[in-house]
Amino acid sequence: MCLAVPGKILQIEGEGPLNRIGDVDFGGIHREVNLSYVPEAKVGDWVLIHAGFALQTVDEEEAKKTLEEMERLAEVGGGLGPAELPDDTDDNDSRDGSES
Amino acid sequence: MKHVEEYRDPALVKSLSGQIHRITKHPWTIMEVCGGQTHAIVRYGLDELLPEEITLVHGPGCPVCVTAVSLVDRAVALAQRDEIIFTSFGDMARVPGSTQDLLTVKAAGGDVRTVYSPLDALQIARENPDREVVFFAVGFETTVPTTAMAVEQARSEGIGNFSLLVAHVLVPPAMETLLASPNNRVQGFLAAGHVCTVTGYADYEPVADRFKVPVIVTGFEPADILKGILDAVNMLERGEFGVANAYGRAVRREGNPHAWRMVQHVFEVCDRDWRGIGTFPNSGLALRGEYAAFDAEQKFKLDIGVTKENETCISGLVLQGAKKPPECPAFGTLCTPETPLGATMVSSEGACAAYYNHRKRVAG
């Protein structure tokens, strides 16, 4: 019930405070979605869809910032992958000496 | 798929889990509230990527799982009535009531229809003016705006054959009750991202401050969840608390005021019984007085008899994070998605279903 999917508004088909309807594409399927809760959303915008409604516009600037921050962490950390992570039972410190 | 695939990138997942390993110096217990997050964690094995010091505890954020048995019994009673077309989200169809579930009623000839949206249920009402249509309004704050709109459309069009069986629940009161419990071990929360999309997260700030816990608004893809955990551990290691938003692309602090205004117009807060857990005060929503005509419980006189819960089922403990599904003696044996003892084994957000589908098949 918490699951919502991002979709792109292809067309706005009707306006009205209760019945703003759009044709939205999500992952190749497109469907009629009630856009009344995103009155400012326009064609080409991405929205989060749940149970036939757009609940929010996807903030593309924020999405970019989040990905950049996550990628920056990779550079900072040197990106240890699970295969390289020390065994939990290992006594040897392989990083900065403060792990148990 | 944009806004999804990028957050499933294995390289990103590796680097985030590496970073968590790097900063974790002490043991921490973190709860992810939402069942959708539990599913992602179990499905992608995210818990196995974490250092041993971090314990992830699964929370009660599965609205299908926490819908009271008495409400399921009411749904069954309504669905058995000839004049009623009973509609609900697909997940609710196989949730066990005291004696049966909605699918059994359907098999016996009841008109039970699963729908994707409450608007579909309203459309059924428009197309069947001689029948009564009831929609099982299950869901957290993410879903409430959708049922509120269906009711508002019905009212504005003068549709008289549509009503809701309301089962809506609210997250913050449940979090507060868990934190206030003397047995609480949870030190940080991953808040349900899509609930916060609707409500915003200002309401979590006093909770975080009072209990001195980090509350990180978190999404649902692997990288989102690991980022939420990373942010929580960062705060915990530094002795900090408060609310932070790790799901900025979908969540603003003020939420969606259009959606929440509609919710407040149609619903008001009430106490709610959470299946397997107990009553959390002010943790539910009920239709406001002027919408009484849309309340199925007021519209139809129901006699549901004695409510009973399966004695072997430990869903309540699973939902509070006290037990993991494989610790249940019935897991995978007496209790499977085909023969569930409780709701957590049938819901798409239920922890037991997550473990059954993605992990070991038997208890132990």
Side-chain angles (χ1 to χ4, degrees), chain B residues 65-100:
Chain B
C65 305
V66 301
T67 295
V69 192
S70 58
L71 272 168
V72 178
D73 291 346
R74 280 179 172 71
V76 162
L78 288 164
Q80 286 171 325
R81 289 166 71 138
D82 288 334
E83 75 275 27
I84 291 180
I85 299 173
F86 193 83
T87 60
S88 90
F89 293 119
D91 268 48
M92 287 309 299
R94 299 188 46 253
V95 170
S98 297
T99 54
Q100 59 188 302

PDB file of all heavy atoms in Angstrom, chain B residues 65-100:
ATOM      1  N   CYS B  65      -1.718  -5.911   6.888  1.00  0.00           N
ATOM      2  CA  CYS B  65      -1.377  -6.757   8.043  1.00  0.00           C
ATOM      3  C   CYS B  65      -2.015  -6.254   9.329  1.00  0.00           C
ATOM      4  O   CYS B  65      -2.343  -7.048  10.206  1.00  0.00           O
ATOM      5  CB  CYS B  65       0.131  -6.805   8.243  1.00  0.00           C
ATOM      6  SG  CYS B  65       1.066  -7.328   6.802  1.00  0.00           S
ATOM      7  N   VAL B  66      -2.139  -4.930   9.471  1.00  0.00           N
ATOM      8  CA  VAL B  66      -2.603  -4.386  10.754  1.00  0.00           C
ATOM      9  C   VAL B  66      -4.108  -4.123  10.783  1.00  0.00           C
ATOM     10  O   VAL B  66      -4.632  -3.683  11.803  1.00  0.00           O
ATOM     11  CB  VAL B  66      -1.831  -3.103  11.162  1.00  0.00           C
ATOM     12  CG1 VAL B  66      -0.341  -3.407  11.263  1.00  0.00           C
ATOM     13  CG2 VAL B  66      -2.094  -1.961  10.208  1.00  0.00           C
ATOM     14  N   THR B  67      -4.798  -4.405   9.691  1.00  0.00           N
ATOM     15  CA  THR B  67      -6.262  -4.242   9.685  1.00  0.00           C
ATOM     16  C   THR B  67      -6.877  -5.267  10.646  1.00  0.00           C
ATOM     17  O   THR B  67      -6.637  -6.467  10.518  1.00  0.00           O
ATOM     18  CB  THR B  67      -6.816  -4.439   8.256  1.00  0.00           C
ATOM     19  OG1 THR B  67      -6.305  -3.395   7.426  1.00  0.00           O
ATOM     20  CG2 THR B  67      -8.330  -4.387   8.241  1.00  0.00           C
ATOM     21  N   ALA B  68      -7.655  -4.776  11.604  1.00  0.00           N
ATOM     22  CA  ALA B  68      -8.205  -5.630  12.662  1.00  0.00           C
ATOM     23  C   ALA B  68      -9.045  -6.784  12.101  1.00  0.00           C
ATOM     24  O   ALA B  68      -9.750  -6.606  11.103  1.00  0.00           O
ATOM     25  CB  ALA B  68      -9.065  -4.787  13.604  1.00  0.00           C
ATOM     26  N   VAL B  69      -8.988  -7.934  12.761  1.00  0.00           N
ATOM     27  CA  VAL B  69      -9.783  -9.089  12.324  1.00  0.00           C
ATOM     28  C   VAL B  69     -11.257  -8.719  12.276  1.00  0.00           C
ATOM     29  O   VAL B  69     -11.992  -9.150  11.397  1.00  0.00           O
ATOM     30  CB  VAL B  69      -9.642 -10.286  13.290  1.00  0.00           C
ATOM     31  CG1 VAL B  69     -10.229 -11.535  12.671  1.00  0.00           C
ATOM     32  CG2 VAL B  69      -8.207 -10.510  13.637  1.00  0.00           C
ATOM     33  N   SER B  70     -11.704  -7.912  13.234  1.00  0.00           N
ATOM     34  CA  SER B  70     -13.124  -7.535  13.266  1.00  0.00           C
ATOM     35  C   SER B  70     -13.519  -6.774  11.996  1.00  0.00           C
ATOM     36  O   SER B  70     -14.631  -6.912  11.500  1.00  0.00           O
ATOM     37  CB  SER B  70     -13.432  -6.700  14.511  1.00  0.00           C
ATOM     38  OG  SER B  70     -12.619  -5.547  14.534  1.00  0.00           O
ATOM     39  N   LEU B  71     -12.587  -5.997  11.438  1.00  0.00           N
ATOM     40  CA  LEU B  71     -12.872  -5.288  10.188  1.00  0.00           C
ATOM     41  C   LEU B  71     -12.930  -6.272   9.022  1.00  0.00           C
ATOM     42  O   LEU B  71     -13.764  -6.131   8.125  1.00  0.00           O
ATOM     43  CB  LEU B  71     -11.834  -4.192   9.927  1.00  0.00           C
ATOM     44  CG  LEU B  71     -12.178  -2.844  10.571  1.00  0.00           C
ATOM     45  CD1 LEU B  71     -10.991  -1.902  10.521  1.00  0.00           C
ATOM     46  CD2 LEU B  71     -13.383  -2.194   9.889  1.00  0.00           C
ATOM     47  N   VAL B  72     -12.029  -7.250   9.032  1.00  0.00           N
ATOM     48  CA  VAL B  72     -12.076  -8.272   7.980  1.00  0.00           C
ATOM     49  C   VAL B  72     -13.407  -9.018   8.072  1.00  0.00           C
ATOM     50  O   VAL B  72     -14.054  -9.289   7.057  1.00  0.00           O
ATOM     51  CB  VAL B  72     -10.890  -9.265   8.095  1.00  0.00           C
ATOM     52  CG1 VAL B  72     -10.985 -10.346   7.026  1.00  0.00           C
ATOM     53  CG2 VAL B  72      -9.559  -8.529   7.976  1.00  0.00           C
ATOM     54  N   ASP B  73     -13.841  -9.311   9.306  1.00  0.00           N
ATOM     55  CA  ASP B  73     -15.137  -9.979   9.495  1.00  0.00           C
ATOM     56  C   ASP B  73     -16.278  -9.112   8.989  1.00  0.00           C
ATOM     57  O   ASP B  73     -17.253  -9.614   8.413  1.00  0.00           O
ATOM     58  CB  ASP B  73     -15.347 -10.321  10.975  1.00  0.00           C
ATOM     59  CG  ASP B  73     -14.395 -11.412  11.472  1.00  0.00           C
ATOM     60  OD1 ASP B  73     -13.761 -12.090  10.624  1.00  0.00           O
ATOM     61  OD2 ASP B  73     -14.280 -11.586  12.701  1.00  0.00           O
ATOM     62  N   ARG B  74     -16.192  -7.809   9.205  1.00  0.00           N
ATOM     63  CA  ARG B  74     -17.222  -6.896   8.680  1.00  0.00           C
ATOM     64  C   ARG B  74     -17.218  -6.923   7.164  1.00  0.00           C
ATOM     65  O   ARG B  74     -18.270  -6.905   6.529  1.00  0.00           O
ATOM     66  CB  ARG B  74     -16.977  -5.468   9.176  1.00  0.00           C
ATOM     67  CG  ARG B  74     -17.461  -5.229  10.584  1.00  0.00           C
ATOM     68  CD  ARG B  74     -17.167  -3.799  11.057  1.00  0.00           C
ATOM     69  NE  ARG B  74     -17.801  -3.550  12.345  1.00  0.00           N
ATOM     70  CZ  ARG B  74     -17.415  -4.086  13.503  1.00  0.00           C
ATOM     71  NH1 ARG B  74     -16.381  -4.878  13.553  1.00  0.00           N
ATOM     72  NH2 ARG B  74     -18.086  -3.826  14.609  1.00  0.00           N
ATOM     73  N   ALA B  75     -16.030  -6.949   6.591  1.00  0.00           N
ATOM     74  CA  ALA B  75     -15.922  -7.010   5.137  1.00  0.00           C
ATOM     75  C   ALA B  75     -16.588  -8.282   4.618  1.00  0.00           C
ATOM     76  O   ALA B  75     -17.357  -8.247   3.647  1.00  0.00           O
ATOM     77  CB  ALA B  75     -14.450  -6.983   4.718  1.00  0.00           C
ATOM     78  N   VAL B  76     -16.303  -9.380   5.267  1.00  0.00           N
ATOM     79  CA  VAL B  76     -16.894 -10.667   4.876  1.00  0.00           C
ATOM     80  C   VAL B  76     -18.426 -10.592   4.977  1.00  0.00           C
ATOM     81  O   VAL B  76     -19.141 -11.002   4.061  1.00  0.00           O
ATOM     82  CB  VAL B  76     -16.318 -11.802   5.756  1.00  0.00           C
ATOM     83  CG1 VAL B  76     -17.181 -13.054   5.718  1.00  0.00           C
ATOM     84  CG2 VAL B  76     -14.889 -12.132   5.331  1.00  0.00           C
ATOM     85  N   ALA B  77     -18.915 -10.042   6.058  1.00  0.00           N
ATOM     86  CA  ALA B  77     -20.371  -9.932   6.260  1.00  0.00           C
ATOM     87  C   ALA B  77     -21.012  -9.068   5.168  1.00  0.00           C
ATOM     88  O   ALA B  77     -22.066  -9.393   4.628  1.00  0.00           O
ATOM     89  CB  ALA B  77     -20.669  -9.352   7.641  1.00  0.00           C
ATOM     90  N   LEU B  78     -20.371  -7.972   4.821  1.00  0.00           N
ATOM     91  CA  LEU B  78     -20.894  -7.098   3.760  1.00  0.00           C
ATOM     92  C   LEU B  78     -20.863  -7.814   2.419  1.00  0.00           C
ATOM     93  O   LEU B  78     -21.825  -7.756   1.642  1.00  0.00           O
ATOM     94  CB  LEU B  78     -20.065  -5.806   3.681  1.00  0.00           C
ATOM     95  CG  LEU B  78     -20.269  -4.814   4.819  1.00  0.00           C
ATOM     96  CD1 LEU B  78     -19.146  -3.780   4.859  1.00  0.00           C
ATOM     97  CD2 LEU B  78     -21.619  -4.093   4.702  1.00  0.00           C
ATOM     98  N   ALA B  79     -19.748  -8.511   2.154  1.00  0.00           N
ATOM     99  CA  ALA B  79     -19.596  -9.170   0.863  1.00  0.00           C
ATOM    100  C   ALA B  79     -20.616 -10.287   0.665  1.00  0.00           C
ATOM    101  O   ALA B  79     -20.936 -10.639  -0.470  1.00  0.00           O
ATOM    102  CB  ALA B  79     -18.176  -9.729   0.732  1.00  0.00           C
ATOM    103  N   GLN B  80     -21.117 -10.824   1.770  1.00  0.00           N
ATOM    104  CA  GLN B  80     -22.091 -11.905   1.672  1.00  0.00           C
ATOM    105  C   GLN B  80     -23.487 -11.420   1.325  1.00  0.00           C
ATOM    106  O   GLN B  80     -24.371 -12.214   1.003  1.00  0.00           O
ATOM    107  CB  GLN B  80     -22.137 -12.698   2.993  1.00  0.00           C
ATOM    108  CG  GLN B  80     -20.919 -13.591   3.174  1.00  0.00           C
ATOM    109  CD  GLN B  80     -20.830 -14.206   4.558  1.00  0.00           C
ATOM    110  OE1 GLN B  80     -21.197 -13.585   5.564  1.00  0.00           O
ATOM    111  NE2 GLN B  80     -20.335 -15.424   4.623  1.00  0.00           N
ATOM    112  N   ARG B  81     -23.701 -10.116   1.402  1.00  0.00           N
ATOM    113  CA  ARG B  81     -25.041  -9.584   1.155  1.00  0.00           C
ATOM    114  C   ARG B  81     -25.302  -9.430  -0.336  1.00  0.00           C
ATOM    115  O   ARG B  81     -24.465  -8.901  -1.063  1.00  0.00           O
ATOM    116  CB  ARG B  81     -25.218  -8.268   1.892  1.00  0.00           C
ATOM    117  CG  ARG B  81     -25.303  -8.521   3.409  1.00  0.00           C
ATOM    118  CD  ARG B  81     -25.138  -7.289   4.220  1.00  0.00           C
ATOM    119  NE  ARG B  81     -26.292  -6.413   4.119  1.00  0.00           N
ATOM    120  CZ  ARG B  81     -26.832  -5.771   5.152  1.00  0.00           C
ATOM    121  NH1 ARG B  81     -26.336  -5.941   6.359  1.00  0.00           N
ATOM    122  NH2 ARG B  81     -27.833  -4.951   4.979  1.00  0.00           N
ATOM    123  N   ASP B  82     -26.467  -9.898  -0.781  1.00  0.00           N
ATOM    124  CA  ASP B  82     -26.798  -9.924  -2.205  1.00  0.00           C
ATOM    125  C   ASP B  82     -26.778  -8.554  -2.858  1.00  0.00           C
ATOM    126  O   ASP B  82     -26.457  -8.431  -4.033  1.00  0.00           O
ATOM    127  CB  ASP B  82     -28.195 -10.533  -2.421  1.00  0.00           C
ATOM    128  CG  ASP B  82     -28.196 -12.022  -2.163  1.00  0.00           C
ATOM    129  OD1 ASP B  82     -27.124 -12.645  -2.319  1.00  0.00           O
ATOM    130  OD2 ASP B  82     -29.267 -12.555  -1.814  1.00  0.00           O
ATOM    131  N   GLU B  83     -27.173  -7.526  -2.092  1.00  0.00           N
ATOM    132  CA  GLU B  83     -27.301  -6.217  -2.730  1.00  0.00           C
ATOM    133  C   GLU B  83     -25.961  -5.490  -2.842  1.00  0.00           C
ATOM    134  O   GLU B  83     -25.878  -4.430  -3.448  1.00  0.00           O
ATOM    135  CB  GLU B  83     -28.322  -5.342  -1.973  1.00  0.00           C
ATOM    136  CG  GLU B  83     -27.833  -4.768  -0.638  1.00  0.00           C
ATOM    137  CD  GLU B  83     -28.011  -5.709   0.554  1.00  0.00           C
ATOM    138  OE1 GLU B  83     -28.016  -6.960   0.348  1.00  0.00           O
ATOM    139  OE2 GLU B  83     -28.139  -5.191   1.680  1.00  0.00           O
ATOM    140  N   ILE B  84     -24.922  -6.092  -2.254  1.00  0.00           N
ATOM    141  CA  ILE B  84     -23.640  -5.385  -2.199  1.00  0.00           C
ATOM    142  C   ILE B  84     -22.617  -5.964  -3.179  1.00  0.00           C
ATOM    143  O   ILE B  84     -22.425  -7.182  -3.278  1.00  0.00           O
ATOM    144  CB  ILE B  84     -23.057  -5.428  -0.760  1.00  0.00           C
ATOM    145  CG1 ILE B  84     -23.931  -4.558   0.161  1.00  0.00           C
ATOM    146  CG2 ILE B  84     -21.602  -4.930  -0.731  1.00  0.00           C
ATOM    147  CD1 ILE B  84     -23.462  -4.531   1.610  1.00  0.00           C
ATOM    148  N   ILE B  85     -21.969  -5.050  -3.924  1.00  0.00           N
ATOM    149  CA  ILE B  85     -20.744  -5.409  -4.653  1.00  0.00           C
ATOM    150  C   ILE B  85     -19.618  -4.953  -3.748  1.00  0.00           C
ATOM    151  O   ILE B  85     -19.478  -3.741  -3.481  1.00  0.00           O
ATOM    152  CB  ILE B  85     -20.651  -4.663  -6.007  1.00  0.00           C
ATOM    153  CG1 ILE B  85     -21.827  -5.025  -6.906  1.00  0.00           C
ATOM    154  CG2 ILE B  85     -19.318  -5.003  -6.693  1.00  0.00           C
ATOM    155  CD1 ILE B  85     -21.896  -4.202  -8.195  1.00  0.00           C
ATOM    156  N   PHE B  86     -18.822  -5.901  -3.246  1.00  0.00           N
ATOM    157  CA  PHE B  86     -17.771  -5.547  -2.310  1.00  0.00           C
ATOM    158  C   PHE B  86     -16.445  -5.418  -3.054  1.00  0.00           C
ATOM    159  O   PHE B  86     -16.002  -6.352  -3.718  1.00  0.00           O
ATOM    160  CB  PHE B  86     -17.650  -6.583  -1.182  1.00  0.00           C
ATOM    161  CG  PHE B  86     -16.806  -6.085  -0.038  1.00  0.00           C
ATOM    162  CD1 PHE B  86     -17.366  -5.272   0.932  1.00  0.00           C
ATOM    163  CD2 PHE B  86     -15.448  -6.362   0.007  1.00  0.00           C
ATOM    164  CE1 PHE B  86     -16.585  -4.754   1.960  1.00  0.00           C
ATOM    165  CE2 PHE B  86     -14.655  -5.855   1.028  1.00  0.00           C
ATOM    166  CZ  PHE B  86     -15.233  -5.040   2.008  1.00  0.00           C
ATOM    167  N   THR B  87     -15.821  -4.259  -2.946  1.00  0.00           N
ATOM    168  CA  THR B  87     -14.575  -4.010  -3.689  1.00  0.00           C
ATOM    169  C   THR B  87     -13.428  -3.769  -2.719  1.00  0.00           C
ATOM    170  O   THR B  87     -13.620  -3.211  -1.628  1.00  0.00           O
ATOM    171  CB  THR B  87     -14.731  -2.765  -4.582  1.00  0.00           C
ATOM    172  OG1 THR B  87     -15.036  -1.631  -3.759  1.00  0.00           O
ATOM    173  CG2 THR B  87     -15.842  -2.955  -5.606  1.00  0.00           C
ATOM    174  N   SER B  88     -12.240  -4.194  -3.113  1.00  0.00           N
ATOM    175  CA  SER B  88     -11.077  -3.910  -2.265  1.00  0.00           C
ATOM    176  C   SER B  88      -9.798  -4.027  -3.078  1.00  0.00           C
ATOM    177  O   SER B  88      -9.797  -4.528  -4.205  1.00  0.00           O
ATOM    178  CB  SER B  88     -11.031  -4.864  -1.069  1.00  0.00           C
ATOM    179  OG  SER B  88     -10.308  -6.029  -1.368  1.00  0.00           O
ATOM    180  N   PHE B  89      -8.696  -3.566  -2.488  1.00  0.00           N
ATOM    181  CA  PHE B  89      -7.393  -3.798  -3.088  1.00  0.00           C
ATOM    182  C   PHE B  89      -7.149  -5.313  -3.060  1.00  0.00           C
ATOM    183  O   PHE B  89      -7.592  -6.006  -2.157  1.00  0.00           O
ATOM    184  CB  PHE B  89      -6.297  -3.092  -2.289  1.00  0.00           C
ATOM    185  CG  PHE B  89      -6.361  -1.596  -2.340  1.00  0.00           C
ATOM    186  CD1 PHE B  89      -6.533  -0.846  -1.185  1.00  0.00           C
ATOM    187  CD2 PHE B  89      -6.237  -0.908  -3.550  1.00  0.00           C
ATOM    188  CE1 PHE B  89      -6.578   0.543  -1.218  1.00  0.00           C
ATOM    189  CE2 PHE B  89      -6.287   0.482  -3.596  1.00  0.00           C
ATOM    190  CZ  PHE B  89      -6.458   1.200  -2.417  1.00  0.00           C
ATOM    191  N   GLY B  90      -6.402  -5.792  -4.034  1.00  0.00           N
ATOM    192  CA  GLY B  90      -6.181  -7.233  -4.191  1.00  0.00           C
ATOM    193  C   GLY B  90      -5.647  -7.950  -2.971  1.00  0.00           C
ATOM    194  O   GLY B  90      -6.067  -9.050  -2.635  1.00  0.00           O
ATOM    195  N   ASP B  91      -4.725  -7.305  -2.278  1.00  0.00           N
ATOM    196  CA  ASP B  91      -4.090  -7.878  -1.088  1.00  0.00           C
ATOM    197  C   ASP B  91      -5.039  -8.349  -0.007  1.00  0.00           C
ATOM    198  O   ASP B  91      -4.722  -9.218   0.777  1.00  0.00           O
ATOM    199  CB  ASP B  91      -3.267  -6.787  -0.391  1.00  0.00           C
ATOM    200  CG  ASP B  91      -1.862  -6.800  -0.868  1.00  0.00           C
ATOM    201  OD1 ASP B  91      -1.696  -6.843  -2.089  1.00  0.00           O
ATOM    202  OD2 ASP B  91      -0.985  -6.791  -0.006  1.00  0.00           O
ATOM    203  N   MET B  92      -6.166  -7.676   0.123  1.00  0.00           N
ATOM    204  CA  MET B  92      -7.070  -7.979   1.241  1.00  0.00           C
ATOM    205  C   MET B  92      -7.862  -9.256   0.991  1.00  0.00           C
ATOM    206  O   MET B  92      -8.449  -9.817   1.901  1.00  0.00           O
ATOM    207  CB  MET B  92      -8.068  -6.835   1.470  1.00  0.00           C
ATOM    208  CG  MET B  92      -7.515  -5.585   2.095  1.00  0.00           C
ATOM    209  SD  MET B  92      -6.568  -5.858   3.612  1.00  0.00           S
ATOM    210  CE  MET B  92      -7.779  -6.601   4.705  1.00  0.00           C
ATOM    211  N   ALA B  93      -7.881  -9.713  -0.261  1.00  0.00           N
ATOM    212  CA  ALA B  93      -8.779 -10.816  -0.621  1.00  0.00           C
ATOM    213  C   ALA B  93      -8.498 -12.103   0.139  1.00  0.00           C
ATOM    214  O   ALA B  93      -9.408 -12.890   0.364  1.00  0.00           O
ATOM    215  CB  ALA B  93      -8.710 -11.066  -2.122  1.00  0.00           C
ATOM    216  N   ARG B  94      -7.223 -12.325   0.525  1.00  0.00           N
ATOM    217  CA  ARG B  94      -6.905 -13.607   1.157  1.00  0.00           C
ATOM    218  C   ARG B  94      -6.489 -13.459   2.610  1.00  0.00           C
ATOM    219  O   ARG B  94      -5.936 -14.372   3.204  1.00  0.00           O
ATOM    220  CB  ARG B  94      -5.839 -14.310   0.321  1.00  0.00           C
ATOM    221  CG  ARG B  94      -6.375 -14.563  -1.093  1.00  0.00           C
ATOM    222  CD  ARG B  94      -5.494 -15.423  -1.963  1.00  0.00           C
ATOM    223  NE  ARG B  94      -5.049 -16.566  -1.247  1.00  0.00           N
ATOM    224  CZ  ARG B  94      -3.805 -16.715  -0.802  1.00  0.00           C
ATOM    225  NH1 ARG B  94      -2.897 -15.806  -1.034  1.00  0.00           N
ATOM    226  NH2 ARG B  94      -3.482 -17.787  -0.120  1.00  0.00           N
ATOM    227  N   VAL B  95      -6.768 -12.287   3.166  1.00  0.00           N
ATOM    228  CA  VAL B  95      -6.441 -12.093   4.577  1.00  0.00           C
ATOM    229  C   VAL B  95      -7.452 -12.857   5.425  1.00  0.00           C
ATOM    230  O   VAL B  95      -8.657 -12.664   5.278  1.00  0.00           O
ATOM    231  CB  VAL B  95      -6.467 -10.587   4.923  1.00  0.00           C
ATOM    232  CG1 VAL B  95      -6.379 -10.374   6.426  1.00  0.00           C
ATOM    233  CG2 VAL B  95      -5.329  -9.880   4.213  1.00  0.00           C
ATOM    234  N   PRO B  96      -6.980 -13.729   6.311  1.00  0.00           N
ATOM    235  CA  PRO B  96      -7.919 -14.527   7.101  1.00  0.00           C
ATOM    236  C   PRO B  96      -8.723 -13.679   8.076  1.00  0.00           C
ATOM    237  O   PRO B  96      -8.181 -12.849   8.796  1.00  0.00           O
ATOM    238  CB  PRO B  96      -7.032 -15.504   7.875  1.00  0.00           C
ATOM    239  CG  PRO B  96      -5.645 -15.278   7.438  1.00  0.00           C
ATOM    240  CD  PRO B  96      -5.573 -14.044   6.627  1.00  0.00           C
ATOM    241  N   GLY B  97     -10.040 -13.901   8.077  1.00  0.00           N
ATOM    242  CA  GLY B  97     -10.909 -13.331   9.112  1.00  0.00           C
ATOM    243  C   GLY B  97     -11.073 -14.389  10.187  1.00  0.00           C
ATOM    244  O   GLY B  97     -10.323 -15.364  10.230  1.00  0.00           O
ATOM    245  N   SER B  98     -12.080 -14.212  11.064  1.00  0.00           N
ATOM    246  CA  SER B  98     -12.269 -15.197  12.141  1.00  0.00           C
ATOM    247  C   SER B  98     -12.597 -16.577  11.587  1.00  0.00           C
ATOM    248  O   SER B  98     -12.181 -17.588  12.149  1.00  0.00           O
ATOM    249  CB  SER B  98     -13.396 -14.743  13.079  1.00  0.00           C
ATOM    250  OG  SER B  98     -13.039 -13.547  13.704  1.00  0.00           O
ATOM    251  N   THR B  99     -13.371 -16.615  10.496  1.00  0.00           N
ATOM    252  CA  THR B  99     -13.739 -17.918   9.934  1.00  0.00           C
ATOM    253  C   THR B  99     -13.407 -18.051   8.453  1.00  0.00           C
ATOM    254  O   THR B  99     -13.242 -19.146   7.953  1.00  0.00           O
ATOM    255  CB  THR B  99     -15.250 -18.194  10.099  1.00  0.00           C
ATOM    256  OG1 THR B  99     -15.966 -17.089   9.535  1.00  0.00           O
ATOM    257  CG2 THR B  99     -15.633 -18.347  11.567  1.00  0.00           C
ATOM    258  N   GLN B 100     -13.363 -16.940   7.735  1.00  0.00           N
ATOM    259  CA  GLN B 100     -13.067 -17.036   6.300  1.00  0.00           C
ATOM    260  C   GLN B 100     -12.490 -15.726   5.794  1.00  0.00           C
ATOM    261  O   GLN B 100     -12.373 -14.751   6.523  1.00  0.00           O
ATOM    262  CB  GLN B 100     -14.341 -17.402   5.532  1.00  0.00           C
ATOM    263  CG  GLN B 100     -15.491 -16.423   5.691  1.00  0.00           C
ATOM    264  CD  GLN B 100     -16.756 -16.956   5.071  1.00  0.00           C
ATOM    265  OE1 GLN B 100     -16.785 -17.264   3.878  1.00  0.00           O
ATOM    266  NE2 GLN B 100     -17.816 -17.069   5.855  1.00  0.00           N
TER     267      GLN B 100
END
